[in-house]
């Protein structure tokens, strides 16, 4: 049975910040405005409080060490330094205070390495957007090795042949990904972002708290979206006129003076702000079509769903966490 | 090799056209003020070292004088001086062709050695043994190298401290200077209470001749001090006298940790973790703080927070730290009026070293979120930015400072005596928000300054490239105010620092590491645009006035 959740509800209490744009990638920060009134941030921990380890191949054992409810985002992965097979999960996970959970549908993302990951608070990443969708689609199936071909294809697309592992990609593209993290900046009260590449929405992320967002910002922007952005950048020359949020409109001076230049800058800035507002308004009209509840823990419900494609954007798939009254978590992406 | 001359007030390099060497000089200034010989996102360490060595080599080949002069500029990294010393000691000096004679060069080298922190100095000496490829040093044990090593080490008032802190390294260095078997013999003889004539002669020749200025008379107490340190290094530790307090503490701390509380942190921590496992690291820290055992500048700064948490207190003198360190401290612990006064003084001192001054200056400070830096060096970019801002504010009669992003940090006391126009409230800002510099550039241009300084990491995102768009338009409408972009962050993707815009006239991007290094950066910009004037400026600054090299030239009789 499916039903719709309006994006207006998902974005309730959330406003848009100033768009940040570099090259073909834009990020519209989502800012908590009135959201504090409905969501108590002290209820939620961050992924930093989650210890993970692997018992067997394809099984990730998680433990929330905080006394707050916690979410592990869909597509979370752990590439570790120790001699152990790197793993990732398809579905997000709700973890109650001090709760543990064994995910038996995890995927190995490193074919040429044996060994299990010792349980600790390992640094989390989020799979590149192409792989994240695949992992999400396979979230209910067991099979630790059935993303190896996908990894191999993914690496091939990025010019790395013959490797069924994510670690090689992270190593090869470290420089570009580090740069992307540096290019975009967190703003105060930020709890999410809309990510746009070549004028097309490829991700909408909303965290339960500011701290949570601060934690997932780097994994998201660096690996999940940054990798795709750098790849697109190489493939296509960007025509800024095709980008709806007006990445960088040309300055048109009415008067050839400093004050004329100031007017031109103010106008393009206002155009950008207006464009963002129009964009967010149109986003709020969209619906997130969800299926059945997949997890019900600590009075939080996890559901998977999608936003249907339209003229400008492709299909966006992801997951949402709801309570009786609030929507603390949303994460969806698509190419 | 080409020498440097002065005719009237114009300094030049004989037989060299300034424009021809401008690129090499600029490359050298980039390397000498920013390179730390580490791997970057862009290049492996080996590649970095090769490039660095090539840049040093090219300048050295142009002129040995110029090479030393540029190395002596304020803001030169320790690493550049280490490489420079290796190059200078590894090749013969032909005094006839050079402005700096052999004696002067020796004193230049001594001044470089004095400018290095102990561990870097000893690392350099250790590299002369010829192992590895550190600083491009080949095995070197010529008379000049040997004298430099032995005079520096044996004459140092810190010899006893080095003896316990750098035991193995110091022993290796001495053995290299003396030769392995002679070193062991000297060690054994140094430990003796009674020595025969042959042994006395050995010590006279290989130890005492290096003590005191020009091998002059040495006080007996110092002599004993030196001999006991040598004996200790060569393993003769049974006859250490009571007045050798550090050596005694080192020996006694193994049985009683309280005896070693004034030893350097790493030494006593090593002893604790080996011989006193029941004492925790934080307990030891508090014990050391209580007896005044935290003594180095660096440790005083970095342990403040931990000592405070453990209930202790460490006294520190803000004037002992450079401005960047003080800002980092202020971000970590907070700033009182003493720290702000020290920052004020540091800014004035640094402004006095600037080769340019202005009537009216606009300063754009990037305090956006990305300026908080990396996990490895938190807050360093913003700390550098704020210290450069302070210096620039002191270098002009009138300034206007504009901030991109940033939040006011509530650590500024209201009783500070700020000079007119100094924006006290924004003294310490926290990094926040996106980078939107274009609007600020317009505000700066409206002010009609002599120059606009932009201190930023060069990552503009709201949107990227708008700064360049605005400046290009400003140039089109006839505004040609110079724009100097000071960048405190090395950008891996460019192999240097990231520029805010390219291809626009009168825009210079300078890598900056500290206010003291700004002078080199500005001169670099000058050399790029006007090589003759730039080189003349750099030589005049280095060779006249109060500079250390000017003192050497006067003593050496060169006019």
């Amino acid at each position: 049975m499916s039903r719709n959740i309006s994006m207006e509800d998902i974005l309730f209490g959330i406003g848009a910040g100033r768009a940040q744009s570099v090259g073909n990638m834009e990020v519209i920060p989502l800012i908590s405005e009135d959201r504090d009134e409905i969501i108590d941030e002290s209820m939620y921990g961050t992924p930093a409080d989650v210890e993970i380890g692997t018992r067997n191949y394809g099984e990730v054992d998680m433990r929330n060490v905080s006394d707050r409810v916690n979410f592990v985002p869909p597509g979370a992965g752990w590439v570790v330094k120790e001699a152990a097979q790197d793993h990732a999960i398809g579905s997000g996970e709700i973890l109650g205070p001090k709760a543990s959970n064994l995910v038996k549908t995890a995927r190995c993302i490193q074919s040429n390495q044996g060994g299990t990951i010792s349980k600790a608070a390992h640094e989390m990443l989020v799979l590149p957007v192409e792989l994240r969708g695949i992992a999400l689609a396979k979230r209910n199936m067991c099979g630790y090795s059935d993303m190896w071909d996908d990894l191999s294809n993914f690496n091939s697309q990025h010019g790395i042949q013959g490797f069924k592992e994510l670690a090689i990609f992270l190593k090869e593209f470290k420089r570009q990904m580090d740069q992307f993290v540096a290019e975009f900046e967190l703003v105060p009260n930020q709890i999410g972002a809309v990510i746009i590449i070549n004028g097309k929405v490829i991700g909408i992320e909303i965290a339960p708290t500011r701290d949570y967002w601060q934690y997932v910002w780097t994994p998201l922007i660096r690996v999940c979206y940054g990798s795709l952005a750098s790849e697109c950048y190489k493939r296509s020359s960007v025509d800024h006129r095709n980008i709806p949020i007006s990445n960088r409109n040309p300055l048109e001076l009415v008067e050839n003076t400093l004050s004329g230049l100031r007017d031109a800058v103010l106008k393009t800035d206002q155009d950008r702000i207006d464009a963002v507002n129009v964009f967010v308004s149109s986003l709020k009209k969209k619906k997130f079509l969800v299926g059945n509840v997949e997890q019900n823990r600590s009075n939080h419900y996890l559901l998977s769903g999608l936003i249907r494609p339209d003229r400008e954007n492709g299909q966006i798939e992801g997951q949402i966490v709801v309570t009786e009254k609030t929507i603390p978590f949303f994460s969806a992406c698509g190419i | 090799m080409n020498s440097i001359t002065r005719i009237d007030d114009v300094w030049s390099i004989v037989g060299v056209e300034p424009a021809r060497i401008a690129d090499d000089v600029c490359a050298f200034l980039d390397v000498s003020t920013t390179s730390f010989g580490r791997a970057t996102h862009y290049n492996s360490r080996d590649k970095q070292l090769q490039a660095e060595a090539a840049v040093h080599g090219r300048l050295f080949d142009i002129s040995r004088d110029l090479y030393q002069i540029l190395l002596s500029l304020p803001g030169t990294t320790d690493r550049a001086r280490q490489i420079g010393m290796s190059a200078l000691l590894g090749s013969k000096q032909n005094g006839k062709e050079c402005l700096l004679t052999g004696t002067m060069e020796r004193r230049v080298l001594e001044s470089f050695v004095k400018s290095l922190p102990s561990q870097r100095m000893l690392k350099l000496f250790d590299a002369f043994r010829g192992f590895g490829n550190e600083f491009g040093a080949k095995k070197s044990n010529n008379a000049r190298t040997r004298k430099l090593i032995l005079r520096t080490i044996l004459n140092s008032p810190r010899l006893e401290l080095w003896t316990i802190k750098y035991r193995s390294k110091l022993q290796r260095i001495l053995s290299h200077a003396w030769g392995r078997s002679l070193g062991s013999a000297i060690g054994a003889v140094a430990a003796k209470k009674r020595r025969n004539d042959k042994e006395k002669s050995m010590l006279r020749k290989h130890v005492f001749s290096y003590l005191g200025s020009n091998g002059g008379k040495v006080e007996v107490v110092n002599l004993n001090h030196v001999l006991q340190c040598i004996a200790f290094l060569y393993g003769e530790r049974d006859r250490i006298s009571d007045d050798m307090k550090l050596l005694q503490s080192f020996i006694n701390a193994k049985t009683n940790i309280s005896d070693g509380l004034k030893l350097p942190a790493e030494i006593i921590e090593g002893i604790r973790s080996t011989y006193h496992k029941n004492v925790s690291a934080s307990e030891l820290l508090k014990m050391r703080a209580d007896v005044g055992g935290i003594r180095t500048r660096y440790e005083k700064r970095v342990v403040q927070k931990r000592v405070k948490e453990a209930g202790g207190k460490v006294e520190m003198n803000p004037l002992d730290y450079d401005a960047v360190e003080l800002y980092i401290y202020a971000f970590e612990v907070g700033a009182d009026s003493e720290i702000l006064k020290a920052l004020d003084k540091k800014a004035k001192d640094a402004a006095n070293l600037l080769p340019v001054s202005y009537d009216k200056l606009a300063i754009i400070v990037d305090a956006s979120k990305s300026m908080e830096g990396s996990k490895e060096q938190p807050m360093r970019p913003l700390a550098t930015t704020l210290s450069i801002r302070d210096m620039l504010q002191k270098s002009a009669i009138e300034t206007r400072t504009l901030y991109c992003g940033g939040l006011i940090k509530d650590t500024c006391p209201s009783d500070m005596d700020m000079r007119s126009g100094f924006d006290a409230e924004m003294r310490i800002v926290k990094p926040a928000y996106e980078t939107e510099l274009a609007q600020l550039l317009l505000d700066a241009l409206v002010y009609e300054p002599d120059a606009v300084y932009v201190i930023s990491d060069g990552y503009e995102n709201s949107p990227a490239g708008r700064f360049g768009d605005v400046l290009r338009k400003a140039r089109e409408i006839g505004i040609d105010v110079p724009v100097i972009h000071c960048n405190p962050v090395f950008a891996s993707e460019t192999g240097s620092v990231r520029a805010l815009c390219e291809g626009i006239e009168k825009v210079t991007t300078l890598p900056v590491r500290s206010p003291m290094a700004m002078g080199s950066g500005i001169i670099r910009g000058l050399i790029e645009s006007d090589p003759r004037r730039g080189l003349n400026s750099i030589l005049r600054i280095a060779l006249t006035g109060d500079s250390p090299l000017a003192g050497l030239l006067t003593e050496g009789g060169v006019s």
Side-chain angles (χ1 to χ4, degrees):
Chain A
M1 197 180 79
S2 62
R3 64 186 172 106
N4 285 321
I5 301 176
S6 79
M7 285 304 293
E8 180 137 31
D9 288 342
I10 293 169
L11 291 166
F12 185 79
I14 295 170
R18 298 188 68 130
Q20 296 176 23
S21 52
V22 177
N24 62 337
M25 182 164 171
E26 289 177 281
V27 172
I28 300 175
L30 296 175
I31 313 290
S32 174
E33 288 176 345
D34 311 322
R35 200 171 181 242
D36 295 353
E37 291 170 18
I38 48 167
I39 292 184
D40 177 6
E41 290 205 357
S42 65
M43 271 182 71
Y44 299 104
T46 75
D49 301 324
V50 177
E51 290 182 349
I52 74 105
T54 50
R55 282 190 197 174
N56 297 305
Y57 297 150
E59 292 186 1
V60 173
D61 196 5
M62 296 179 179
R63 182 168 168 263
N64 176 17
V65 296
S66 86
D67 50 11
R68 301 168 180 196
V69 176
N70 224 323
F71 309 132
V72 181
W78 297 270
V79 172
V80 295
K81 283 183 184 160
E82 63 189 295
Q85 236 176 38
D86 301 332
H87 271 67
I89 54 171
S91 170
E93 288 291 320
I94 301 170
L95 293 167
K98 303 276 183 194
S100 295
N101 187 41
L102 180 66
V103 180
K104 291 187 173 175
T105 55
R107 297 294 184 281
C108 164
I109 51 171
Q110 188 181 28
S111 68
N112 59 355
Q113 172 71 55
T116 53
I117 302 172
S118 56
K119 203 165 185 180
H122 296 285
E123 194 174 335
M124 185 191 82
L125 56 77
V126 178
L127 290 175
V129 65
E130 303 102 308
L131 294 171
R132 201 181 181 197
I134 295 167
L136 185 67
K138 294 179 177 178
R139 66 187 179 281
N140 295 322
M141 294 180 274
C142 291
Y144 73 93
S145 62
D146 66 5
M147 263 186 71
W148 289 354
D149 289 342
D150 302 310
L151 277 161
S152 177
N153 292 339
F154 170 78
N155 282 332
S156 298
Q157 282 165 16
H158 289 82
I160 308 165
Q161 306 297 335
F163 285 92
K164 296 174 178 179
E165 59 169 292
L166 188 64
I168 186 84
F169 171 82
L170 299 177
K171 192 178 165 200
E172 288 288 317
F173 288 87
K174 181 179 186 302
R175 185 173 64 81
Q176 287 94 327
M177 290 187 290
D178 285 342
Q179 186 183 332
F180 266 100
V181 172
E183 302 266 22
F184 295 96
E185 291 164 307
L186 284 168
V187 298
N189 293 324
Q190 190 172 351
I191 44 96
V194 179
I195 295 96
I196 298 160
I197 293 178
N198 289 340
K200 189 172 139 186
V201 175
I202 59 152
I204 305 167
E205 306 281 345
I206 300 169
T209 68
R210 294 162 177 84
D211 287 347
Y212 189 104
W213 180 251
Q214 190 154 4
Y215 183 88
V216 295
W217 166 251
T218 300
L220 284 171
I221 213 78
R222 186 176 185 278
V223 182
C224 181
Y225 297 111
S227 58
L228 181 65
S230 58
E231 185 54 22
C232 288
Y233 200 78
K234 278 196 297 184
R235 284 186 198 151
S236 65
S237 61
V238 182
D239 184 347
H240 297 294
R241 285 166 305 181
N242 293 338
I243 296 174
I245 315 300
S246 66
N247 190 349
R248 202 173 127 203
N249 285 340
L251 295 169
E252 285 167 6
L253 273 69
V254 178
E255 188 191 328
N256 257 358
T257 61
L258 211 48
S259 101
L261 180 53
R262 181 187 290 280
D263 290 344
V265 171
L266 287 174
K267 184 178 178 308
T268 55
D269 278 357
Q270 192 54 51
D271 286 349
R272 278 165 56 78
I273 292 166
D274 293 345
V276 168
N277 288 337
V278 169
F279 173 81
V280 173
S281 298
S282 71
L283 186 62
K284 283 183 175 176
K285 287 178 188 151
K286 294 185 188 298
K287 307 279 183 199
F288 188 58
L289 182 68
V290 294
N292 293 327
V293 171
E294 296 178 16
Q295 287 174 31
N296 173 3
R297 295 175 195 150
S298 300
N299 298 321
H300 286 73
Y301 309 94
L302 181 134
L303 304 96
S304 299
L306 57 90
I307 299 173
R308 291 191 193 284
D310 57 23
R311 215 164 34 150
E312 286 96 27
N313 302 298
Q315 182 161 296
I316 294 174
E317 292 175 89
Q319 293 187 312
I320 190 168
V321 176
V322 300
T323 66
E324 294 298 332
K325 291 180 183 170
T326 63
I327 302 175
F329 180 87
F330 181 80
S331 175
C333 61
I335 315 163
Chain B
M1 289 284 177
N2 303 84
S3 181
I4 287 171
T5 60
R6 181 173 67 178
I7 299 168
D8 295 330
D9 200 28
V10 178
W11 293 88
S12 59
I13 305 166
V14 178
V16 173
E17 178 54 37
R20 201 167 57 76
I21 61 166
D23 286 350
D24 288 334
V25 171
C26 287
F28 182 79
L29 288 173
D30 284 351
V31 162
S32 68
T33 53
T34 59
S35 177
F36 294 94
R38 295 178 193 140
T40 66
H41 295 312
Y42 211 64
N43 289 318
S44 67
R45 183 168 186 265
D46 282 349
K47 279 189 180 170
Q48 291 281 93
L49 295 183
Q50 278 170 18
E52 194 180 48
V55 169
H56 273 261
R58 282 203 297 274
L59 189 74
F60 189 85
D61 289 343
I62 290 168
S63 163
R64 191 178 182 112
D65 282 345
L66 183 62
Y67 187 61
Q68 291 178 73
I69 287 164
L70 296 192
L71 283 173
S72 72
L73 289 173
T76 302
T77 62
D78 291 340
R79 179 170 173 79
R81 290 201 173 134
Q82 286 169 316
I83 295 170
M85 288 171 69
S86 285
L88 291 165
L89 285 167
S91 67
K92 284 185 180 169
Q93 199 259 13
N94 184 347
K96 285 177 192 168
E97 289 175 14
C98 294
L99 177 74
L100 301 170
T101 63
T103 315
M104 288 178 197
E105 184 171 304
R106 197 196 80 210
R107 293 173 65 179
V108 168
L109 288 169
E110 284 170 358
S111 74
F112 289 169
V113 165
K114 276 185 194 156
S115 74
L116 294 175
S118 311
Q119 75 273 24
R120 289 188 186 156
M121 179 197 75
L122 294 174
K123 196 174 179 187
L124 173 68
F125 289 168
D126 201 24
F128 290 145
R129 294 187 308 119
F131 292 98
N133 189 27
E134 199 67 55
F135 319 122
K138 294 178 186 142
K139 185 173 181 178
S140 173
N141 194 14
N142 54 37
R144 283 195 307 150
T145 309
R146 195 161 55 243
K147 278 181 194 165
L148 184 71
I149 292 175
L150 292 173
R151 278 185 180 147
T152 307
I153 291 175
L154 300 179
N155 275 309
S156 172
R158 308 181 77 197
L159 178 60
E160 191 182 350
L161 177 70
W162 291 350
T163 300
I164 51 161
K165 199 170 174 184
Y166 308 107
R167 298 179 300 281
S168 319
K169 192 176 280 174
L170 206 53
Q171 198 253 354
R172 278 202 310 268
I173 292 167
L174 291 177
S175 293
H176 173 65
W178 282 321
R180 202 176 294 171
S181 50
L182 178 61
S184 301
I186 291 171
V189 171
K192 287 186 176 179
K193 282 206 167 167
R194 290 179 184 281
R195 302 172 189 107
N196 61 32
D197 287 348
K198 200 178 163 190
E199 289 166 342
K200 282 178 187 167
S201 160
M202 177 198 273
L203 292 182
R204 258 198 309 276
K205 186 176 173 190
H206 297 292
V207 179
F208 304 155
S209 65
Y210 295 102
L211 296 177
S213 59
N214 302 318
K217 199 179 170 189
V218 181
E219 287 181 27
V220 175
V221 61
N222 284 347
L223 205 145
N224 275 332
H225 234 78
V226 172
L227 290 180
Q228 292 201 61
C229 288
I230 294 171
F232 185 94
L233 286 170
Y234 282 91
E236 308 283 345
R237 298 179 183 180
D238 296 336
R239 293 188 209 145
I240 302 299
S241 62
D242 289 343
D243 62 327
M244 302 299 287
K245 291 199 167 26
L246 284 174
L247 301 188
Q248 283 293 356
S249 298
F250 179 84
I251 294 164
N252 297 339
K254 291 177 182 175
T255 46
N256 182 2
I257 196 162
S258 302
D259 286 344
L261 296 177
K262 292 198 174 179
L263 288 170
E266 57 274 44
I267 300 290
I268 188 62
E269 176 54 29
I271 292 173
R272 180 202 68 81
S273 60
T274 310
Y275 299 97
H276 307 282
K277 289 181 179 165
N278 57 331
V279 179
S280 73
S282 59
E283 279 170 337
L284 177 65
L285 191 65
K286 187 175 179 310
M287 285 163 75
R288 292 180 57 230
D290 289 346
V291 299
I294 297 173
R295 290 191 291 190
T296 65
R297 278 178 343 112
Y298 176 75
E299 204 191 355
K300 277 181 182 174
R301 180 172 73 76
V302 298
V303 304
Q304 284 282 348
K305 215 171 173 180
R306 278 164 56 207
V307 172
K308 240 180 199 175
E309 281 162 11
K313 194 184 175 192
V314 181
E315 296 298 334
M316 62 171 269
N317 178 5
L319 289 173
D320 290 343
Y321 301 83
D322 71 32
V324 178
E325 287 175 318
L326 284 177
Y327 268 114
I328 291 173
Y329 174 86
F331 284 124
E332 284 170 0
V333 187
D336 56 20
S337 57
E338 285 301 307
I339 288 189
L340 294 180
K341 275 180 194 163
L343 282 168
D344 219 33
K345 183 179 181 318
K346 303 272 171 194
K348 275 183 199 155
D349 292 347
N352 287 337
L353 285 173
L354 267 188
V356 286
S357 62
Y358 301 94
D359 289 338
K360 210 173 170 188
L361 201 61
I363 306 161
I364 298 176
V365 174
D366 181 355
S368 66
K369 185 73 178 171
S370 64
M371 296 297 282
E372 72 184 3
S374 62
K375 276 181 199 163
E376 290 75 29
Q377 301 231 297
M379 302 307 282
R380 183 163 284 271
L382 191 59
T384 308
T385 297
L386 296 182
S387 55
I388 287 167
R389 171 203 64 181
D390 294 352
M391 177 197 62
L392 290 171
Q393 284 174 331
K394 304 282 183 200
S395 69
I397 296 166
E398 198 185 308
T399 62
R400 182 167 186 198
T401 309
L402 303 152
Y403 293 87
C404 164
L407 291 168
I408 299 168
K409 191 165 165 64
D410 53 356
T411 47
C412 206
S414 55
D415 60 350
M416 270 302 292
D417 178 24
M418 298 294 184
R419 63 170 239 183
S420 165
F422 200 103
D423 190 351
E425 281 186 311
M426 291 298 274
R427 186 78 198 255
I428 296 171
V429 293
K430 284 198 293 190
Y433 295 104
E434 65 273 12
T435 310
E436 190 190 4
L437 296 164
Q439 191 64 249
L440 297 176
L441 175 63
L442 274 169
D443 292 341
L445 294 176
V446 168
Y447 179 60
E448 296 183 355
D450 299 336
V452 178
Y453 275 80
V454 186
I455 320 167
S456 167
D457 61 6
Y459 288 103
E460 187 192 18
N461 57 24
S462 194
R466 180 51 54 79
F467 185 89
D469 293 344
V470 169
L471 194 53
R472 215 166 271 118
K473 288 283 180 192
R475 294 288 187 253
E476 280 171 25
I477 59 177
I479 297 165
D480 64 349
V481 177
V483 173
I484 298 113
H485 170 206
C486 305
N487 194 328
V489 179
F490 179 83
S492 56
E493 70 275 13
T494 62
S496 177
V497 290
R498 191 181 167 102
L500 273 168
C501 52
E502 277 167 5
I504 302 177
E505 279 188 16
K506 289 197 172 184
V507 182
T508 311
T509 301
L510 307 175
V512 289
R513 198 171 46 85
S514 70
M516 302 303 268
M518 268 288 284
S520 312
I522 290 171
I523 291 169
R524 186 205 178 285
L526 201 58
I527 292 172
E528 217 169 29
S529 57
D530 184 348
R532 188 172 297 278
R533 205 172 133 223
L535 273 173
N536 184 46
S537 299
I538 210 165
L539 294 173
R540 199 176 58 240
I541 289 163
L543 299 171
T544 58
D546 297 332
S547 80
L549 277 180
L552 286 181
L553 287 178
T554 313
E555 285 172 38
V558 177
S559 61

